Amino acid sequence: MKKILDVLTEEMGKAFEAAGYEAALGRVTLSNRPDLCEYQCNGAMAGAKKYKKAPIMIANDVAARLADSPVFKEAAAVAPGFLNLKLSESFLLGMVKAMDSEPKFGLEMPEKPKKIMIDYGGANVAKPLHVGHLRPAIIGESIKRISRYAGHEVIGDVHLGDWGTPIGMVITELQERKPDLPYFDESYQGEYPAEEPITEAEFAEIYPLASAKSKEDAAFKAKALEATRKFQKGVRGYRALWKHIVDVSKVDLKKNYDSLNVEFDLWKGESDVNDLIPEMVDYMKEGGWAYISDGALVVDVKEETDTKEVPPCMILKSDGASLYNTTDLATIMERMRLYDPDEIIYITDKRQDLYFEQVFRCARKTKLVKPETVLKFLGHGTMNGSDGKPFKTRDGGVMRLDVLVRETQEEMYRKIREGREMPEEEAKAVAETVALSALKYGDLSNQAAKDYVFDIDRFTSFEGDTGPYILYTIVRIKSILNKYKEQGGKMEQLAFLEAAGSSEKELEMALVQFNTMIQSAAEEIAPHKVCAYIYDLANAFNHFYHETKILSEEDGARRESLIALLALTRDVLETCIDLLGFSAPEKM
Ligand code: ARG
């Protein structure tokens, strides 16, 4: 179905034309004075110069043409020349019915769906996830879902950091503990055991220890670097150990991402493009793009219009080792070969802005991508503590992600237990569901690029612009619908009637913004637009709920229409929270 503003603009354009003015003046927007009108058009102001007429005269002419409009119940010309508009209830009813009956609530699918790859997650093997991984995971997951819903083909890739020194540290610590393992014996020719040399529990404890040792003990650090070099070079035992560690770590990472309801289609990592690097390097040299500077292999990426210094993109270090750049570029090469996406979106901390600018320029210059391939970087801000600095544990350390999730669940559990009678097991399950909404909504309701303060008390509140408030609203609707069914009410073939009062009309007006909102959230990769929409919708619903008799409505047809409106509101809200990556419980 068409977007409401397009329909209104079309109707207004016709009125301008009928009154002898150009149709393009009839652009309708949401009202910025909701106390006076629902929508407005400022075209008469814009046309004054062209037609050499006072704007109010133009507005009067146009308003006269709208007297019998089926779309506008009221079109008032007011000084100095605004058109203040109110919708006709029957027109709005038509929009609501269309929304209710069409797939995806009337969201039109793109003529040419895009193939989009999203690079988010970015977890590092051997290291536990920490709060820094929260934002890319939450934002990326939501963008993936929104883009898919908007009709595009989307592939999400975790792009693990699986080729770095943390793995060397774990190997070194393992060697100190179990020097007799065959992996460390370079003369060993036999098969390595299939069994993992390290358990999950051991793994969880080993990295922080090895990382601390690396900081304090220079000899240990040197060994860890050597071990890293060995598994990267392909020394048999070290490579086998590397593989074990990656596998054990993936199990752990999956658990963590699962707890956030975050899923990836691809579990690829930096290591996957290892074999492509020599080929890419040759290609860049042969193309004349890459040259040696101070021993390192680089590609210039500065442009004339640059206002700041953009350093060359380094492809290989002077010792021939590859860098973060190298794997990202080789990954682009691989992605083009295997998937040929129209667009690749990267979601990382915004401090990597310049880095991605270099990588994108280099990929374009060296033609790793097609001229029309879109490379986008969505840099997110930091999650801060109440002191305005990046979030830390109470003793100033880096907060582990699972600890943050657990603390949020505990707080939610406390709040749920406080207000109501609920068996403990159920309260725990509900707290988990609601805590996820608190974390995700608290994050996604901010523009991704902005920093925000993690305020557990506010995020877990049932009131205000929070996840739990949205869930509470959904649960309220579900409970009314359940009562209706218990009383013998049927959910099939409910007919909508025209809105009877202002709060009902406002609820309908909020609902019909859905397709407009989804389209812009997808185009602008902006999950916060979904949050803003459901917050408005939940407010409109709760206002309506407080003003309206629903189950006790005596007129059967009217009661059924109200129930239909409730069911539609619930469906829209549940669809939206699914796009944000969380769900609602049945009760709370
Ligand atoms: N593993 C990296 C880190 O922890 C993030 C990877 C981001 N994605 C990318 N394609 N570079 O900093």
Side-chain angles (χ1 to χ4, degrees):
M1 71 191 244
K2 284 193 184 157
K3 292 184 275 186
I4 184 158
L5 280 181
D6 293 345
V7 182
L8 303 185
T9 296
E10 208 173 284
E11 176 77 359
M12 185 57 79
K14 279 195 246 159
F16 269 84
E17 211 159 34
Y21 307 102
E22 60 172 346
L25 292 171
R27 204 167 72 84
V28 174
T29 58
L30 268 172
S31 161
N32 49 28
R33 286 290 304 273
D35 52 326
L36 296 180
C37 57
E38 295 159 359
Y39 289 88
Q40 66 187 54
C41 171
N42 301 347
M45 307 289 289
K49 215 170 173 191
K50 175 160 183 193
Y51 295 102
K52 298 195 179 64
K53 260 194 191 175
I56 189 70
M57 291 173 71
I58 301 179
N60 276 325
D61 290 347
V62 174
R65 303 285 164 164
L66 288 168
D68 303 319
S69 163
V71 172
F72 298 112
K73 172 165 91 174
E74 208 179 293
V78 296
F82 297 116
L83 282 154
N84 284 355
L85 308 166
K86 285 192 178 149
L87 297 185
S88 109
E89 275 77 5
S90 73
F91 163 74
L92 188 57
L93 174 67
M95 297 286 294
V96 170
K97 280 183 178 167
M99 182 175 177
D100 187 59
S101 62
E102 288 180 27
K104 296 190 177 178
F105 310 108
L107 176 69
E108 284 179 6
M109 291 296 102
E111 261 168 49
K112 259 191 74 189
K114 292 187 273 192
K115 189 194 270 188
I116 304 173
M117 287 193 84
I118 309 186
D119 182 314
Y120 66 110
N124 297 314
V125 164
K127 281 168 119 173
L129 288 177
H130 59 78
V131 291
H133 294 112
L134 186 70
R135 298 210 70 193
I138 292 182
I139 297 168
E141 180 69 20
S142 175
I143 291 173
K144 181 184 75 182
R145 291 170 182 231
I146 293 169
S147 311
R148 233 173 232 170
Y149 190 81
H152 303 293
E153 183 192 342
V154 189
I155 306 170
D157 184 8
V158 65
H159 196 72
L160 292 178
D162 61 356
W163 205 234
T165 38
I167 306 177
M169 292 178 191
V170 173
I171 293 179
T172 306
E173 176 60 21
L174 203 61
Q175 184 166 20
E176 296 204 341
R177 292 185 189 187
K178 304 176 185 172
D180 297 332
L181 285 173
Y183 305 93
F184 303 113
D185 174 1
E186 293 193 21
S187 63
Y188 181 77
Q189 297 284 329
E191 293 271 313
Y192 292 113
E195 199 199 333
E196 312 281 352
I198 179 172
T199 63
E200 254 191 270
E202 199 176 1
F203 178 72
E205 144 289 308
I206 213 167
Y207 174 75
L209 194 115
S211 154
K213 268 196 187 172
S214 245
K215 281 189 196 120
E216 291 151 14
D217 179 348
F220 184 92
K221 187 175 175 185
K223 272 198 210 154
L225 287 176
E226 182 56 17
T228 306
R229 211 182 54 79
K230 281 187 176 162
F231 82 71
Q232 289 185 347
K233 241 179 62 185
V235 174
R236 233 178 119 246
Y238 285 78
R239 185 59 75 81
L241 267 182
W242 166 83
K243 177 87 174 71
H244 280 307
I245 292 169
V246 170
D247 290 346
V248 180
S249 181
K250 272 188 190 168
V251 174
D252 181 59
L253 291 173
K254 275 202 175 117
K255 255 192 231 156
N256 265 278
Y257 280 125
D258 274 354
S259 76
L260 290 174
N261 204 6
V262 168
E263 294 161 352
F264 299 94
D265 305 294
L266 300 178
W267 275 80
K268 295 204 162 227
E270 296 176 357
S271 69
D272 281 281
V273 294
N274 198 33
D275 294 342
L276 273 182
I277 291 174
E279 186 190 336
M280 182 181 82
V281 167
D282 286 345
Y283 165 78
M284 287 185 174
K285 281 190 197 155
E286 276 159 27
W289 299 295
Y291 67 95
I292 303 284
S293 163
D294 288 335
L297 188 73
V298 302
V299 173
D300 281 331
V301 292
K302 59 175 188 283
E303 287 171 7
E304 266 174 36
T305 50
D306 286 345
T307 50
K308 59 177 194 292
E309 162 96 16
V310 182
C313 194
M314 202 191 284
I315 311 294
L316 292 178
K317 287 201 268 193
S318 48
D319 62 0
S322 59
L323 306 105
Y324 190 41
N325 286 327
T326 326
T327 45
D328 263 321
L329 286 162
T331 303
I332 292 181
M333 189 163 163
E334 189 199 39
R335 285 178 180 159
M336 293 307 292
R337 284 187 185 173
L338 298 182
Y339 310 102
D340 189 17
D342 300 297
E343 204 167 305
I344 310 178
I345 305 176
Y346 293 81
I347 298 153
T348 80
D349 191 301
K350 67 182 172 202
R351 283 171 288 193
Q352 294 198 33
D353 188 5
L354 176 63
Y355 166 75
F356 276 101
E357 182 65 38
Q358 289 173 296
V359 168
F360 292 174
R361 285 184 184 189
C362 184
R364 290 211 172 289
K365 182 173 181 179
T366 62
K367 304 189 175 33
L368 289 182
V369 295
K370 298 182 193 162
E372 66 273 20
T373 314
V374 176
L375 299 171
K376 270 190 198 158
F377 174 64
L378 180 67
H380 61 76
T382 1
M383 181 176 110
N384 291 331
S386 50
D387 57 357
K389 301 213 181 83
F391 195 83
K392 289 268 180 339
T393 55
R394 267 176 225 102
D395 53 16
V398 177
M399 178 72 123
R400 284 176 59 128
L401 192 58
D402 50 358
V403 175
L404 181 82
V405 172
R406 200 174 55 236
E407 285 185 1
T408 312
Q409 286 170 349
E410 281 163 7
E411 176 62 14
M412 213 61 248
Y413 176 76
R414 208 182 53 71
K415 283 198 173 140
I416 283 175
R417 270 319 219 17
E418 216 168 55
R420 58 220 93 205
E421 289 287 317
M422 200 185 262
E424 187 176 330
E425 278 311 300
E426 190 182 346
K428 281 221 170 92
V430 170
E432 269 186 33
T433 308
V434 185
L436 193 61
S437 82
L439 270 177
K440 288 196 162 186
Y441 192 95
D443 188 303
L444 294 168
S445 55
N446 300 284
Q447 267 182 43
K450 294 210 171 124
D451 298 346
Y452 71 88
V453 173
F454 178 77
D455 180 345
I456 192 163
D457 209 39
R458 187 169 75 76
F459 286 9
T460 57
S461 166
F462 293 106
E463 278 153 42
D465 192 6
T466 69
Y469 169 68
I470 304 291
L471 297 196
Y472 193 75
T473 305
I474 295 173
V475 167
R476 167 176 275 167
I477 301 177
K478 286 183 178 179
S479 109
I480 305 169
L481 292 176
N482 284 337
K483 269 203 203 115
Y484 167 79
K485 281 183 260 179
E486 278 160 24
Q487 294 171 359
K490 295 219 168 26
M491 292 304 293
E492 299 85 38
Q493 286 169 345
L494 299 173
F496 286 93
L497 302 178
E498 279 179 23
S502 66
S503 67
E504 191 176 341
K505 189 176 183 191
E506 275 159 30
L507 173 58
E508 293 187 356
M509 287 196 295
L511 277 167
V512 299
Q513 293 295 332
F514 178 81
N515 57 355
T516 309
M517 175 282 292
I518 293 286
Q519 241 180 38
S520 74
E523 269 160 29
E524 295 163 40
I525 44 174
H528 71 273
K529 297 207 160 177
V530 181
C531 295
Y533 170 81
I534 54 176
Y535 183 52
D536 282 349
L537 183 57
N539 282 337
F541 173 79
N542 286 315
H543 182 208
F544 156 80
Y545 168 79
H546 288 298
E547 300 216 323
T548 317
K549 287 194 295 186
I550 299 173
L551 293 175
S552 59
E553 168 60 54
E554 285 122 38
D555 178 341
R558 177 132 174 85
R559 186 171 61 242
E560 288 194 354
S561 161
L562 293 171
I563 292 295
L565 194 57
L566 257 63
L568 179 60
T569 307
R570 173 204 57 194
D571 292 347
V572 169
L573 285 172
E574 288 209 298
T575 299
C576 289
I577 61 171
D578 186 54
L579 297 179
L580 298 173
F582 56 88
S583 59
E586 287 308 304
K587 284 195 223 153
M588 68 190 261

mmCIF file of all heavy atoms in Angstrom, residues 119 121-124 133 159-161 270 324 328 335 346-348 352 355-356, ligand 1:
data_model
loop_
_atom_site.group_PDB
_atom_site.id
_atom_site.type_symbol
_atom_site.label_atom_id
_atom_site.label_comp_id
_atom_site.label_asym_id
_atom_site.label_seq_id
_atom_site.Cartn_x
_atom_site.Cartn_y
_atom_site.Cartn_z
ATOM 1 N N ASP A 119 28.799 -7.116 8.220
ATOM 2 C CA ASP A 119 29.966 -7.579 8.966
ATOM 3 C C ASP A 119 29.815 -7.012 10.376
ATOM 4 O O ASP A 119 29.973 -5.815 10.587
ATOM 5 C CB ASP A 119 31.210 -7.023 8.248
ATOM 6 C CG ASP A 119 32.526 -7.443 8.867
ATOM 7 O OD1 ASP A 119 32.652 -7.366 10.105
ATOM 8 O OD2 ASP A 119 33.448 -7.811 8.103
ATOM 9 N N GLY A 121 29.695 -8.166 14.869
ATOM 10 C CA GLY A 121 30.197 -9.168 15.816
ATOM 11 C C GLY A 121 31.658 -8.851 16.083
ATOM 12 O O GLY A 121 31.991 -8.130 16.999
ATOM 13 N N GLY A 122 32.522 -9.392 15.237
ATOM 14 C CA GLY A 122 33.937 -9.066 15.356
ATOM 15 C C GLY A 122 34.600 -9.614 16.610
ATOM 16 O O GLY A 122 35.647 -9.123 17.041
ATOM 17 N N ALA A 123 34.014 -10.664 17.186
ATOM 18 C CA ALA A 123 34.594 -11.237 18.401
ATOM 19 C C ALA A 123 35.978 -11.794 18.109
ATOM 20 O O ALA A 123 36.287 -12.155 16.975
ATOM 21 C CB ALA A 123 33.705 -12.362 18.910
ATOM 22 N N ASN A 124 36.799 -11.851 19.130
ATOM 23 C CA ASN A 124 38.138 -12.405 18.980
ATOM 24 C C ASN A 124 38.224 -13.765 19.645
ATOM 25 O O ASN A 124 37.840 -13.922 20.801
ATOM 26 C CB ASN A 124 39.167 -11.457 19.588
ATOM 27 C CG ASN A 124 39.181 -10.137 18.849
ATOM 28 O OD1 ASN A 124 39.192 -10.104 17.621
ATOM 29 N ND2 ASN A 124 39.125 -9.048 19.583
ATOM 30 N N HIS A 133 31.783 -5.573 22.656
ATOM 31 C CA HIS A 133 31.184 -6.360 21.577
ATOM 32 C C HIS A 133 29.669 -6.279 21.579
ATOM 33 O O HIS A 133 29.012 -6.808 20.687
ATOM 34 C CB HIS A 133 31.615 -7.826 21.705
ATOM 35 C CG HIS A 133 33.079 -8.026 21.494
ATOM 36 N ND1 HIS A 133 33.921 -8.401 22.500
ATOM 37 C CD2 HIS A 133 33.850 -7.868 20.397
ATOM 38 C CE1 HIS A 133 35.160 -8.486 22.027
ATOM 39 N NE2 HIS A 133 35.142 -8.166 20.751
ATOM 40 N N HIS A 159 32.741 -12.459 11.234
ATOM 41 C CA HIS A 159 34.119 -12.030 10.975
ATOM 42 C C HIS A 159 34.987 -12.062 12.245
ATOM 43 O O HIS A 159 35.427 -11.047 12.774
ATOM 44 C CB HIS A 159 34.153 -10.638 10.341
ATOM 45 C CG HIS A 159 35.479 -10.320 9.729
ATOM 46 N ND1 HIS A 159 35.925 -10.898 8.567
ATOM 47 C CD2 HIS A 159 36.489 -9.519 10.140
ATOM 48 C CE1 HIS A 159 37.131 -10.460 8.285
ATOM 49 N NE2 HIS A 159 37.503 -9.624 9.226
ATOM 50 N N LEU A 160 35.231 -13.281 12.686
ATOM 51 C CA LEU A 160 36.009 -13.487 13.911
ATOM 52 C C LEU A 160 37.452 -13.017 13.764
ATOM 53 O O LEU A 160 38.054 -13.168 12.700
ATOM 54 C CB LEU A 160 36.078 -14.984 14.235
ATOM 55 C CG LEU A 160 34.813 -15.693 14.664
ATOM 56 C CD1 LEU A 160 35.128 -17.162 14.882
ATOM 57 C CD2 LEU A 160 34.251 -15.057 15.924
ATOM 58 N N GLY A 161 37.967 -12.484 14.836
ATOM 59 C CA GLY A 161 39.402 -12.234 14.921
ATOM 60 C C GLY A 161 40.031 -13.544 15.367
ATOM 61 O O GLY A 161 40.112 -13.818 16.559
ATOM 62 N N GLU A 270 39.122 -14.051 10.101
ATOM 63 C CA GLU A 270 40.273 -13.503 9.378
ATOM 64 C C GLU A 270 41.093 -14.624 8.743
ATOM 65 O O GLU A 270 41.636 -14.467 7.659
ATOM 66 C CB GLU A 270 41.137 -12.683 10.344
ATOM 67 C CG GLU A 270 40.393 -11.469 10.882
ATOM 68 C CD GLU A 270 41.186 -10.686 11.930
ATOM 69 O OE1 GLU A 270 42.294 -11.117 12.294
ATOM 70 O OE2 GLU A 270 40.671 -9.647 12.378
ATOM 71 N N TYR A 324 45.812 -6.075 9.995
ATOM 72 C CA TYR A 324 44.351 -5.959 10.064
ATOM 73 C C TYR A 324 43.787 -5.549 8.695
ATOM 74 O O TYR A 324 42.850 -6.148 8.168
ATOM 75 C CB TYR A 324 44.047 -4.902 11.138
ATOM 76 C CG TYR A 324 42.609 -4.747 11.568
ATOM 77 C CD1 TYR A 324 41.777 -5.844 11.761
ATOM 78 C CD2 TYR A 324 42.087 -3.472 11.814
ATOM 79 C CE1 TYR A 324 40.467 -5.664 12.185
ATOM 80 C CE2 TYR A 324 40.788 -3.291 12.244
ATOM 81 C CZ TYR A 324 39.973 -4.387 12.425
ATOM 82 O OH TYR A 324 38.690 -4.202 12.855
ATOM 83 N N ASP A 328 41.163 -7.561 6.026
ATOM 84 C CA ASP A 328 39.907 -6.941 5.615
ATOM 85 C C ASP A 328 39.823 -6.812 4.092
ATOM 86 O O ASP A 328 38.770 -7.044 3.504
ATOM 87 C CB ASP A 328 39.721 -5.568 6.298
ATOM 88 C CG ASP A 328 38.833 -5.680 7.531
ATOM 89 O OD1 ASP A 328 37.850 -6.445 7.482
ATOM 90 O OD2 ASP A 328 39.114 -5.018 8.543
ATOM 91 N N ARG A 335 34.633 -12.060 -0.537
ATOM 92 C CA ARG A 335 33.184 -11.823 -0.548
ATOM 93 C C ARG A 335 32.690 -11.542 -1.965
ATOM 94 O O ARG A 335 31.618 -11.986 -2.364
ATOM 95 C CB ARG A 335 32.831 -10.648 0.372
ATOM 96 C CG ARG A 335 32.912 -11.047 1.828
ATOM 97 C CD ARG A 335 32.613 -9.891 2.772
ATOM 98 N NE ARG A 335 32.713 -10.396 4.144
ATOM 99 C CZ ARG A 335 32.904 -9.644 5.218
ATOM 100 N NH1 ARG A 335 33.003 -8.337 5.091
ATOM 101 N NH2 ARG A 335 32.964 -10.190 6.404
ATOM 102 N N TYR A 346 29.653 -2.469 7.370
ATOM 103 C CA TYR A 346 30.514 -2.817 8.504
ATOM 104 C C TYR A 346 30.022 -2.082 9.736
ATOM 105 O O TYR A 346 29.789 -0.877 9.676
ATOM 106 C CB TYR A 346 31.957 -2.386 8.233
ATOM 107 C CG TYR A 346 32.624 -3.152 7.128
ATOM 108 C CD1 TYR A 346 32.406 -2.815 5.795
ATOM 109 C CD2 TYR A 346 33.482 -4.215 7.413
ATOM 110 C CE1 TYR A 346 33.020 -3.520 4.775
ATOM 111 C CE2 TYR A 346 34.105 -4.926 6.391
ATOM 112 C CZ TYR A 346 33.863 -4.578 5.080
ATOM 113 O OH TYR A 346 34.472 -5.276 4.075
ATOM 114 N N ILE A 347 29.907 -2.815 10.821
ATOM 115 C CA ILE A 347 29.489 -2.160 12.058
ATOM 116 C C ILE A 347 30.567 -2.365 13.113
ATOM 117 O O ILE A 347 30.791 -3.488 13.577
ATOM 118 C CB ILE A 347 28.144 -2.713 12.536
ATOM 119 C CG1 ILE A 347 27.107 -2.413 11.463
ATOM 120 C CG2 ILE A 347 27.718 -2.069 13.858
ATOM 121 C CD1 ILE A 347 25.974 -3.359 11.435
ATOM 122 N N THR A 348 31.255 -1.297 13.426
ATOM 123 C CA THR A 348 32.260 -1.365 14.495
ATOM 124 C C THR A 348 32.262 -0.013 15.214
ATOM 125 O O THR A 348 31.575 0.919 14.813
ATOM 126 C CB THR A 348 33.704 -1.622 13.983
ATOM 127 O OG1 THR A 348 34.241 -0.384 13.504
ATOM 128 C CG2 THR A 348 33.768 -2.652 12.891
ATOM 129 N N GLN A 352 37.051 3.467 14.427
ATOM 130 C CA GLN A 352 37.683 2.815 13.270
ATOM 131 C C GLN A 352 37.307 3.504 11.953
ATOM 132 O O GLN A 352 37.540 2.969 10.866
ATOM 133 C CB GLN A 352 37.292 1.342 13.215
ATOM 134 C CG GLN A 352 37.834 0.547 14.391
ATOM 135 C CD GLN A 352 37.835 -0.959 14.123
ATOM 136 O OE1 GLN A 352 38.032 -1.411 13.002
ATOM 137 N NE2 GLN A 352 37.623 -1.735 15.172
ATOM 138 N N TYR A 355 40.197 4.174 9.525
ATOM 139 C CA TYR A 355 40.676 2.873 9.068
ATOM 140 C C TYR A 355 39.805 2.347 7.914
ATOM 141 O O TYR A 355 40.303 1.928 6.874
ATOM 142 C CB TYR A 355 40.695 1.886 10.243
ATOM 143 C CG TYR A 355 40.842 0.469 9.804
ATOM 144 C CD1 TYR A 355 42.072 -0.016 9.365
ATOM 145 C CD2 TYR A 355 39.741 -0.387 9.756
ATOM 146 C CE1 TYR A 355 42.204 -1.315 8.902
ATOM 147 C CE2 TYR A 355 39.859 -1.679 9.293
ATOM 148 C CZ TYR A 355 41.090 -2.142 8.867
ATOM 149 O OH TYR A 355 41.220 -3.415 8.392
ATOM 150 N N PHE A 356 38.485 2.377 8.125
ATOM 151 C CA PHE A 356 37.612 1.861 7.067
ATOM 152 C C PHE A 356 37.617 2.759 5.829
ATOM 153 O O PHE A 356 37.484 2.274 4.713
ATOM 154 C CB PHE A 356 36.196 1.609 7.584
ATOM 155 C CG PHE A 356 36.082 0.264 8.256
ATOM 156 C CD1 PHE A 356 36.093 0.156 9.644
ATOM 157 C CD2 PHE A 356 36.016 -0.890 7.503
ATOM 158 C CE1 PHE A 356 36.025 -1.089 10.254
ATOM 159 C CE2 PHE A 356 35.956 -2.141 8.105
ATOM 160 C CZ PHE A 356 35.956 -2.242 9.489
HETATM 161 N N1 ARG B 1 38.072 -8.261 15.776
HETATM 162 C C1 ARG B 1 38.103 -6.845 15.686
HETATM 163 C C2 ARG B 1 38.277 -6.222 17.083
HETATM 164 O O1 ARG B 1 38.003 -6.858 18.082
HETATM 165 C C3 ARG B 1 36.859 -6.257 15.079
HETATM 166 C C4 ARG B 1 36.552 -6.671 13.665
HETATM 167 C C5 ARG B 1 35.632 -5.713 12.983
HETATM 168 N N2 ARG B 1 35.338 -6.084 11.626
HETATM 169 C C6 ARG B 1 36.147 -5.913 10.596
HETATM 170 N N3 ARG B 1 35.796 -6.353 9.402
HETATM 171 N N4 ARG B 1 37.315 -5.326 10.717
HETATM 172 O O2 ARG B 1 38.684 -5.067 17.163
#
